[in-house]
Amino acid sequence: MSKLTAVQIRQAKPKDKPYKLPDGQGLYFHVAESGKSTWRYRFRVDGKESTCCVLGEYPDMSLEQARKARAEAREQVKAGKIRHMSGRRKSRRRTGCRSGFRR
């Protein structure tokens, strides 16, 4: 899988349905129908895929910053600070994952 580039991110426009552009290691760029673009991180705990963490909004968070935030979130998952969430409507506070990775 090739990594995202700044040009691909700038050219991402809203469509009829939300879509994702993967960067690798669980990081992806999410574009909503409304045009809101966010950096998200998906991870696994004990073999179960967890719902994602929203790392930040674009353009407030650049590609480079999102990759650093993903690395920090990954370390928190390994340390057990972010737990698996089952179900779509659980609060981020319960997993320990939040938008606090912004710089």
Side-chain angles (χ1 to χ4, degrees):
M1 175 189 316
S2 62
K3 292 193 172 206
L4 282 174
T5 65
V7 174
Q8 289 173 310
I9 295 163
R10 274 195 309 272
Q11 291 176 344
K13 303 295 180 207
K15 297 180 181 179
D16 294 339
K17 294 182 178 181
Y19 67 98
K20 328 175 200 186
L21 298 172
D23 184 58
Q25 296 182 340
L27 178 66
Y28 65 93
F29 189 66
H30 181 265
V31 182
E33 303 118 326
S34 65
K36 182 177 179 179
S37 302
T38 55
W39 292 104
R40 297 184 179 194
Y41 174 58
R42 250 187 355 210
F43 56 93
R44 291 183 176 272
V45 175
D46 298 328
K48 297 178 183 177
E49 187 169 320
S50 181
T51 55
C52 63
C53 294
V54 176
L55 300 176
E57 289 185 30
Y58 180 81
D60 296 338
M61 180 179 273
S62 69
L63 174 59
E64 183 178 332
Q65 290 170 322
R67 287 177 177 158
K68 287 179 184 176
R70 182 223 23 234
E72 291 173 17
R74 189 176 171 117
E75 290 302 315
Q76 287 190 4
V77 170
K78 285 181 183 178
K81 294 180 181 177
I82 299 176
R83 297 180 308 279
H84 171 72
M85 267 184 13
S86 59
R88 297 184 68 186
R89 298 270 179 194
K90 304 272 181 162
S91 72
R92 289 187 200 137
R93 186 179 65 200
R94 292 185 68 190
T95 62
C97 188
R98 58 189 176 284
S99 303
F101 297 107
R102 291 187 191 171
R103 299 221 175 247

